Amino acid sequence: MAYIANTPDDVRVMLDAIGLDSIEQLFDMIPREYRLDRPLNVAPALTEFELTSRIGGLLALNQGADQRVCFLGAGSYDHFIPAVVDALASRGEFYTAYTPYQPEASQGTLQATFEYQTLITQITGMDVSNASLYDGGSAVTEAALMALAVTRRFGRIVVAGSVHPEYRQILATYLEHLDPEVVTVPSVDGKVDPKAIAEAITADTAAVVIQQPNFFGELEDVEAVAKAAHEKGATVIVSVDPISLGLLRRPDTYGADVVVAEGQGLGNPMSFGGPYLGILACRQEYLRKMPGRIVGETTDRNGKRCWVLTLQTREQHIRREKATSNICTNQGLLALRASIYLAAMGPRGLREAAELSTRKAHYAAEVLGAVKGLMLAFSGPFFKEFVIRCSKDPRDLLAEVGKLGYHGGVWLGRWYPEMADCILVAVTEKRSRAEIDGLAAAYQRALESI
């Protein structure tokens, strides 16, 4: 069965339209040494039964968070998801709903999104939230682009080296061919020095980006960073762990202008890395430069409460030259799950999840730090993640710990060469004392066996 519907005649018509003689000419700009000069090494076709059996066997090789005890973190966390989240989010009217391109006909979707925006402003302390973005990395980047538009400064974006490295990579990619320079201030002992941040801020700096808690789980002196940024007229962008807001100060209290986050921990499974949920909220004065879409409440001609999609300055709309972003949709289903999660947990439940994660993480740090061959890398206060240094290759240790039934953490050498002997360990409210003790015993066995 042919899956490419274009006939030779179709191909000829298209080539004529663009003034080419052959498909090969489309690839003339690619150097010949980078082109494949042989047929693809594709195995003979399988029957449907053979194919499903093969795929099933490959899937069985995965060891997800439900097959091993999970201590993975770095932006993706094994938090508890109340059953009500799946029960409501899987209803047909929600599960099949896509971006409302005729929005006013989708009142249920708009109302759910409006509730999401309300909940996000409540936990962040910001004045307004958009209807969500793609993930935490895109949220950081969109916030930086918004800061450029608000401040009209195009010299640099100052970023703490303790911000998630993949978020920084995404930001650098977006700005690579634009004027602003991305200036990274290295972290020292797991945190950035506010004085170093202040020294990096120039008169043409649009924004300072910092993470709280940071990528290593450490708590930054965000108030000092925000003060330094505001003294020089720069926007303060803070990337947060939304679960931490059940326990830590809200970003509005220490000077954040824009708050971004990865919302995966709010009722969304780890899902091998996605899809995830980008959160973005800001102060009122930034509203008209906010990327994406915003749902507003109004009344219809009969005075009945209703919802509309408003401030849609996106690239596919008529006034595309005034578009604030190329974000053309939002993670509606995942935002809905976050709304259900927050509504079900409430302030008390969110605080309890944050407190349990913190207490269990500190217990884990204590027992792992007592294992011969492991030591805590940093001594500062942390939330639910911490870094351990290993006397042996962390990759070998993680492989051995995995064989013993544990996702033991994330190797930091992939992003920080100077931390090639370090592992980032995350502990959520789901982990029991027995599981944490088991992880310590697994590391001990792994260190002895390597």
Side-chain angles (χ1 to χ4, degrees), residues 62 72 88 98 119 139 147 188 194 197 236 264 318 355 396 447:
N62 287 326
L72 300 175
L88 292 180
Y98 183 57
L119 289 162
V188 179
I197 291 279
V236 177
Q264 175 271 327
I318 294 172
E355 285 186 346
D396 295 336
L447 285 160

Side-chain angles (χ1 to χ4, degrees), residues 148 153-157 175-182 204 206:
L148 295 171
R153 295 178 171 187
F154 303 100
R156 61 173 53 181
I157 302 288
L175 295 181
E176 183 173 1
H177 298 294
L178 299 179
D179 292 334
E181 175 190 10
V182 178
D204 59 356

Side-chain angles (χ1 to χ4, degrees), residues 241-265:
D241 178 341
I243 295 292
S244 75
L245 299 179
L247 184 61
L248 302 180
R249 292 168 60 189
R250 295 192 318 183
D252 66 310
T253 64
Y254 50 72
D257 298 306
V258 186
V259 178
V260 295
E262 171 53 67
Q264 175 271 327

Side-chain angles (χ1 to χ4, degrees), residues 17-261:
I18 59 177
L20 298 179
D21 297 322
S22 67
I23 291 178
E24 286 69 28
Q25 285 183 277
L26 288 170
F27 306 103
D28 281 346
M29 75 285 293
I30 302 175
R32 188 159 295 278
E33 61 265 29
Y34 297 119
R35 298 191 225 171
L36 189 66
D37 59 358
R38 58 170 176 77
L40 288 173
N41 185 21
V42 179
L46 301 176
T47 65
E48 182 178 350
F49 172 73
E50 290 170 332
L51 180 60
T52 54
S53 297
R54 175 72 182 278
I55 296 300
L58 292 174
L59 289 173
L61 297 176
N62 287 326
Q63 293 290 303
D66 53 346
Q67 277 87 39
R68 294 178 182 174
V69 182
C70 185
F71 290 90
L72 300 175
S76 180
Y77 305 100
D78 186 28
H79 280 291
F80 173 69
I81 301 175
V84 67
V85 176
D86 286 329
L88 292 180
S90 61
R91 289 177 60 95
E93 56 266 42
F94 291 131
Y95 207 65
T96 59
Y98 183 57
T99 298
Y101 284 109
Q102 293 177 310
E104 284 66 45
S106 307
Q107 285 294 295
T109 298
L110 292 180
Q111 182 176 0
T113 304
F114 184 82
E115 298 296 343
Y116 162 82
Q117 294 172 179
T118 302
L119 289 162
I120 295 303
T121 57
Q122 288 176 343
I123 66 171
T124 62
M126 293 289 101
D127 298 318
V128 61
S129 163
N130 70 6
S132 75
L133 299 172
Y134 298 143
D135 54 22
S138 67
V140 166
T141 299
E142 291 292 341
L145 295 175
M146 180 168 66
L148 295 171
V150 169
T151 64
R152 307 304 298 171
R153 295 178 171 187
F154 303 100
R156 61 173 53 181
I157 302 288
V158 175
V159 186
S162 53
V163 171
H164 196 306
E166 292 179 354
Y167 297 0
R168 291 188 280 115
Q169 289 170 1
I170 295 169
L171 176 61
T173 299
Y174 267 74
L175 295 181
E176 183 173 1
H177 298 294
L178 299 179
D179 292 334
E181 175 190 10
V182 178
V183 176
T184 302
V185 177
S187 59
V188 179
D189 293 329
K191 294 182 287 188
V192 291
D193 183 352
K195 293 181 180 178
I197 291 279
E199 292 172 359
I201 303 171
T202 57
D204 59 356
T205 297
V208 174
V209 183
I210 192 165
Q211 187 168 341
Q212 177 76 338
N214 68 25
F215 180 68
F216 308 115
E218 298 281 305
L219 301 186
E220 300 275 8
D221 187 354
V222 284
E223 194 160 12
V225 171
K227 181 180 179 182
H230 286 152
E231 285 177 350
K232 297 184 179 179
T235 299
V236 177
I237 300 169
V238 183
S239 176
V240 300
D241 178 341
I243 295 292
S244 75
L245 299 179
L247 184 61
L248 302 180
R249 292 168 60 189
R250 295 192 318 183
D252 66 310
T253 64
Y254 50 72
D257 298 306
V258 186
V259 178
V260 295

Side-chain angles (χ1 to χ4, degrees), residues 336-378:
L336 172 69
R337 292 181 64 93
S339 301
I340 299 169
Y341 175 89
L342 288 170
M345 296 288 280
R348 182 180 299 178
L350 189 64
R351 181 180 181 87
E352 186 174 349
E355 285 186 346
L356 286 171
S357 297
T358 305
R359 294 179 187 276
K360 293 181 177 185
H362 282 73
Y363 174 72
E366 180 183 336
V367 297
L368 286 174
V371 174
K372 186 178 180 180
L374 302 179
M375 64 176 293
L376 293 181
F378 309 124

